[in-house]
Each structure stands twice: as structure tokens, then as C-alpha cells.
Amino acid sequence: DVLNRAVDQTKEIIREKGVNTEHLEETAKAVGIGAVIFQELSNNRIKDYVFSWDKVLNFDGETGPYVQYTHARACSVLRNAGEELVQKASMTDHIDFSHVTGEAAYELAKLMYEYPYVIVDAAEKYEPSVVTRHLVDIAQAFNRFYHEEHILVDDEAEKLAKIALVQAAKNTIASALGLLGIKAPEKM
């Protein structure tokens, strides 16, 4: 019942926001169920919490839909960059990362670097909330980077470096969501 209600309420939110998606059912299911899973796993295992639909299905803040939307945003940037540039950016051995010098980019890269250690820490503690907390931090850092930096700039070398960072963020977010059993929609 909870999952069905989450899907139904997510459909309503998507309609209210006027999101144009050709896969409304699929997106609502991924986001609604993902929201409940994320909420359950984001709380410390031994602590009680109050379940709130407003909090669970919020697309802003420290929620599953916020993280999923961040993943979709990264996918959108990559689609706008074009397949050829994204392919080039996936071969990082020839990218000059000296073009990515902003504080937001540094924070994002640092959090992604820490990700494998966070997974080990969460496993050793049997505590998935460690992963969800870090995932929210990565999503927030990506959104700061997205808002503070021009990603699709004219300079080819700079654009390539920034696309590589976006691609890494997208992959890290998708990986962490997958570990939590949550889908990472490419469009929302």
C-alpha cells in the first residue's frame, strides 16, 4: 500500500510540475519506490523516525527524488554535449583537468574520490545511511558545480574536462543508487 501510494503521489507531483515525460508510469514508479527506499535507508538503523509523505516525496533537500533528479540533470548535460564529446570524455588519459579549477568542481571531485571508502565504511558498520548521506553530499556538490560553472563552454579542452567530471558524477550517483536498490532515471 505504501509503495502504491508513493507511485500515485509521484505521478501527481510530476503532473503538477508540468514535466513532459513520455514514460510517466515508469518514471513515477522509479521515483516513488526509490523515495520510500531512500527514506528508509537514510535513517540510522537503531533510531526511530516519523514517516512523512511531504518529506519522502520532496524533490528538494536530502531525499531520494532529489538525488534521482540530480542524476537526470547530469544525463541531460551529457545529452546536450553530444555523443561524440561524451565518448571523448570517457577516455580520461588525454584530458587536461587543469581547466577545472573551481571550488565547486574540487568539492565534487573530492567527494567522488571518497566514495569507495564510504562504501567500505557502510559495509563494516552495516549502516546504509552512511551511503545515503554521502550520496546527498555528492548530489549537492554536483548541483553547486552545475550552477556555478559553465559546462558547455567554447574552449574544447575545458569543455572536455568538465564533461568528464559530469560523467563521473553521473556514474557515481547511479552506482550508489544501485547499491541501495534504487533506479537512476535518465529523464525526469
Side-chain angles (χ1 to χ4, degrees):
D1 288 344
V2 170
L3 297 179
N4 288 334
R5 183 170 173 192
V7 171
D8 291 342
Q9 286 190 303
T10 301
K11 273 190 242 176
E12 281 303 311
I13 292 169
I14 290 171
R15 286 186 187 117
E16 285 172 14
K17 290 183 179 273
V19 176
N20 186 11
T21 179
E22 62 252 12
H23 305 291
L24 176 64
E25 289 291 327
E26 185 180 311
T27 302
K29 188 174 181 181
V31 174
I33 293 172
V36 173
I37 293 170
F38 194 90
Q39 176 64 33
E40 289 296 311
L41 297 178
S42 66
N43 294 289
N44 193 297
R45 288 181 306 118
I46 59 171
K47 291 188 179 178
D48 292 335
Y49 73 95
V50 176
F51 184 90
S52 162
W53 283 110
D54 291 335
K55 183 177 178 189
V56 170
L57 296 175
N58 191 345
F59 280 70
D60 301 314
E62 300 175 357
T63 65
Y66 172 78
V67 173
Q68 288 173 308
Y69 181 76
T70 301
H71 178 267
R73 173 176 274 169
C75 290
S76 176
V77 170
L78 297 174
R79 278 192 304 276
N80 290 335
E83 194 174 320
E84 184 180 327
L85 191 62
V86 171
Q87 192 73 302
K88 271 187 191 177
S90 67
M91 296 178 265
T92 58
D93 58 329
H94 67 278
I95 296 177
D96 182 3
F97 285 103
S98 69
H99 292 285
V100 184
T101 59
E103 185 64 33
Y106 171 76
E107 185 61 28
L108 176 58
K110 184 178 111 183
L111 287 166
M112 289 188 298
Y113 174 80
E114 294 168 352
Y115 172 66
Y117 303 103
V118 169
I119 299 304
V120 170
D121 185 42
E124 288 174 350
K125 294 177 179 175
Y126 298 104
E127 189 56 72
S129 67
V130 173
V131 176
T132 61
R133 176 71 248 154
H134 194 73
L135 183 51
V136 166
D137 290 345
I138 290 172
Q140 289 170 340
F142 175 81
N143 284 312
R144 271 192 304 282
F145 170 69
Y146 176 84
H147 288 293
E148 292 177 14
E149 303 262 351
H150 295 290
I151 297 169
L152 301 178
V153 295
D154 291 334
D155 181 88
E156 191 72 18
E158 180 181 352
K159 184 175 11 178
L160 197 59
K162 289 180 176 180
I163 290 300
L165 186 59
V166 170
Q167 197 170 31
K170 173 202 155 296
N171 292 343
T172 303
I173 292 168
S175 170
L177 284 171
L179 282 174
L180 299 169
I182 300 171
K183 292 187 179 180
E186 294 200 1
K187 292 182 180 181
M188 277 178 67

